[in-house]
Amino acid sequence: MGARVVSVILSDMSIARYLARLGYGTRREAEYLLAQRRVTTPDGQVVRDRDAFQHTSLYVDGAPLDPPPGAVLLLNKPLGYVCSTSDRPPLVYDLFPTRFLARTPIMAPVGRLDADTSGLLLLTDDGVLNHRLTSPRSHLPKTYEVTLAEPVRGHEVDRFASGTLMLQGETTPLRPARLVVTGERTATLCLHEGRYHQVRRMFAATGNHVVSLHRAAFGALTLGSLAAGTWRVLAPHEVDALRASATKRPTT
Ligand code: URA
């Protein structure tokens, strides 16, 4: 099992070190925050570096801390944002507090969405969980809403479901994928793997072109009412369910 969200008392770690790991500055800068009495309990009591603490018992400048180590974040990625720490902006990190880029370890995207794909993107600093969710052995379903340049012809449903479709430059066929046609040029596609530009390449293999792509679901997780450009922290039961479903074989 990977790291769990920290809720226990972390008395073996100084508060300054903990804050530095969360990106609140260098250790020296975090010590300075404490010296300036800017680190408090939720009810405003000033804390000292060596005090016992829990993640939720610390506020900086009157605000709760950013998500704890081991958290999984669900972002509704808008179009145009890049899943990278160092590409041409805008980056998905621009949608979080700037100190997120200084966290150790960093909140890394779970797989990637292209800049011109919108929708559900997970991020976590739990490397074991990230690996498990993105490993080729993971069968987690990912659901995409697709708009196409040309009308769907109908044969795509069987081709994608066949388990024999081979993409250019690859040596193994794609796993069966479920295509549901929702309109003349629209469909939803459910994949159980995550190859490079997979959806765009699948439709290119049928002579079509993806005009817009949106990820609506990752496993059982959906965006719900989360607005584009905003994010939330997954509840522990959602993380547990995600972890458990990563290795389950699909029924279709
Ligand atoms: N498939 C793609 O082609 N692009 C994405 O961003 C995700 C899946």
Side-chain angles (χ1 to χ4, degrees), residues 61-167:
D61 292 334
L65 296 184
D66 292 339
V72 182
L73 313 182
L74 188 158
L75 169 71
N76 186 351
K77 184 182 108 52
L79 286 177
Y81 283 75
V82 182
C83 294
S84 158
T85 54
S86 58
D87 221 306
R88 283 232 319 263
L91 308 178
V92 288
Y93 291 100
D94 296 338
L95 300 164
F96 297 95
T98 47
R99 57 183 169 263
F100 264 50
L101 278 171
R103 283 177 74 117
T104 318
I106 196 156
M107 282 282 176
V110 177
R112 285 177 177 231
L113 289 180
D114 302 335
D116 46 1
T117 302
S118 59
L120 199 161
L121 179 72
L122 298 180
L123 297 99
T124 184
D125 56 2
D126 181 339
V128 174
L129 177 62
N130 196 333
H131 182 261
R132 188 158 167 185
L133 296 174
T134 52
S135 146
R137 292 217 300 274
S138 164
H139 289 262
L140 261 179
K142 279 146 278 193
T143 306
Y144 295 87
E145 291 167 357
V146 190
T147 306
L148 298 159
E150 306 296 333
V152 182
R153 279 183 254 154
H155 69 282
E156 298 90 339
V157 173
D158 288 342
R159 231 172 136 197
F160 290 174
S162 69
T164 61
L165 180 63
M166 191 80 91
L167 294 179

Side-chain angles (χ1 to χ4, degrees), residues 112-114 117 144 191 195 197-201 213:
R112 285 177 177 231
L113 289 180
D114 302 335
T117 302
Y144 295 87
L191 306 180
R195 302 197 199 183
H197 287 174
Q198 183 168 342
V199 177
R200 293 174 205 279
R201 290 164 73 211
L213 187 56

